């Protein structure tokens, strides 16, 4: 309703109003913590809803209902639904960063072996894996708000895998004429395709095992010829 959209959600209004009282009773830090907590709740609810229903089939009202606030309450924290989607994708990326190699740089084939660990990890977090699969597929449609994000993400992924393959080639683990660009595309395609198959039939599809087999086969096809 128009009246709901014209005012922030009730509890957020209370948080703002609290700032009118004595600073000692309502410190700015407490208000900021409340706001950050509420944003986190909204993002987590949106992540689940977008994964289950897709971006276009999800409404702010149903996301708000999961959090126990109004749609206007969401718009108090995120100005638009597109902005909320951007934050959901950023949060999903941060999960990957926090899980990755504990800050240690992986070089050459060691990085490719880490991709097998990533596939295994994805099989333990179906919600995040489903979100990525649904959003990446939807992003190819005209004017989808996540299209540029996914385009940039795939560019970055190809560069990372290509860099690892180039390192492997430079230290003699692959042939000098190995096509690292094409191989990087193939590895990413297999991993993303496996996610869809696994989501549809998790009892049959072993993402880590198939990723391992695929990378091993590609590396073997590019291995230096024995003298």
């Amino acid at each position: 309703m128009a009246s709901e959209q014209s005012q922030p959600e009730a509890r957020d209004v209370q948080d703002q109003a609290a700032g009118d009282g004595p600073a000692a009773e309502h410190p700015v830090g407490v208000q900021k913590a409340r706001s950050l907590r509420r944003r986190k709740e909204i993002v987590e609810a949106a992540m689940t809803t977008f994964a289950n229903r897709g971006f276009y089939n999800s409404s702010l009202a149903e996301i708000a209902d999961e959090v126990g606030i109004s749609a206007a309450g969401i718009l108090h924290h995120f100005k638009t639904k597109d902005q909320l989607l951007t934050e959901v994708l950023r949060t999903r990326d941060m999960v990957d960063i926090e899980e990755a190699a504990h800050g240690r740089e992986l070089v050459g084939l060691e990085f490719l072996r880490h991709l097998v660990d990533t596939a295994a990890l994805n099989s333990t977090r179906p919600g995040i894996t489903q979100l990525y699969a649904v959003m990446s597929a939807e992003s190819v449609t005209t004017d989808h708000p996540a299209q540029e994000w996914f385009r940039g993400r795939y560019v970055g992924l190809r560069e990372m895998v290509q860099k690892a393959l180039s390192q492997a080639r430079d230290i003699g683990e692959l042939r000098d004429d190995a096509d690292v660009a094409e191989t990087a595309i193939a590895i990413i395609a297999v991993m993303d395709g496996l996610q869809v198959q696994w989501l549809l039939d998790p009892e049959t599809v072993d993402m880590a095992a198939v990723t391992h087999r695929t990378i091993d086969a590609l590396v073997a096809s590019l291995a230096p010829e024995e003298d």
Side-chain angles (χ1 to χ4, degrees):
M1 293 186 295
S3 60
E4 285 186 336
Q5 294 179 352
S6 63
Q7 298 180 13
E9 185 265 345
R11 275 176 286 180
D12 291 317
V13 171
Q14 292 172 0
D15 290 347
Q16 286 184 321
D20 296 332
E25 294 180 16
H26 305 288
V28 173
V30 172
Q31 294 178 38
K32 183 177 180 180
R34 271 197 205 119
S35 180
L36 290 174
R37 185 168 60 249
R38 179 55 50 81
R39 284 174 63 91
K40 183 174 184 288
E41 291 171 352
I42 293 169
V43 168
E44 289 175 349
M47 189 177 293
T48 300
T49 304
F50 289 157
N52 290 334
R53 297 177 54 78
F55 177 76
Y56 290 122
N57 289 328
S58 299
S59 70
L60 290 181
E62 61 185 319
I63 295 170
D65 189 56
E66 289 293 322
V67 183
I69 61 176
S70 68
I74 291 180
L75 295 175
H76 173 63
H77 294 277
F78 302 94
K79 301 304 180 185
T80 64
K81 185 181 175 186
D82 289 3
Q83 188 182 97
L84 176 57
L85 174 61
T86 299
E87 183 61 19
V88 165
L89 294 172
R90 189 195 70 81
T91 300
R92 186 233 179 257
D93 246 11
M94 289 305 297
V95 172
D96 278 354
I97 292 171
E98 291 169 1
E99 295 285 356
H102 306 292
R104 187 169 64 89
E105 183 178 1
L106 303 176
V107 178
L109 297 185
E110 188 180 14
F111 177 84
L112 300 186
R113 297 185 187 99
H114 173 66
L115 296 181
V116 177
D117 296 335
T118 299
L121 176 63
N122 286 340
S123 67
T124 69
R125 50 184 193 184
I128 290 178
T129 301
Q130 183 178 358
L131 173 73
Y132 185 86
V134 171
M135 291 293 101
S136 60
E138 272 196 349
S139 73
V140 303
T141 59
T142 304
D143 297 327
H144 193 283
Q147 188 171 99
E148 284 304 313
W149 189 90
F150 275 103
R151 183 178 287 117
R153 178 171 178 77
Y154 275 113
V155 169
L157 287 173
R158 289 194 296 269
E159 288 176 349
M160 284 193 295
V161 179
Q162 187 171 328
K163 177 183 177 182
L165 290 165
S166 295
Q167 291 169 337
R169 183 180 59 188
D170 292 344
I171 61 179
E173 293 178 321
L174 301 180
R175 293 197 312 269
D176 290 341
D177 64 346
D179 189 332
V180 295
E182 186 177 274
T183 305
I185 292 171
I187 290 172
I188 294 168
V190 167
M191 293 186 71
D192 279 12
L194 279 171
Q195 288 184 356
V196 175
Q197 292 191 58
W198 176 78
L199 287 165
L200 293 171
D201 193 357
E203 297 300 321
T204 300
V205 178
D206 186 330
M207 287 197 291
V210 178
T211 299
H212 193 293
R213 180 180 293 274
T214 299
I215 290 176
D216 277 358
L218 287 169
V219 169
S221 72
L222 301 175
E225 296 181 0
E226 297 182 2
D227 296 333

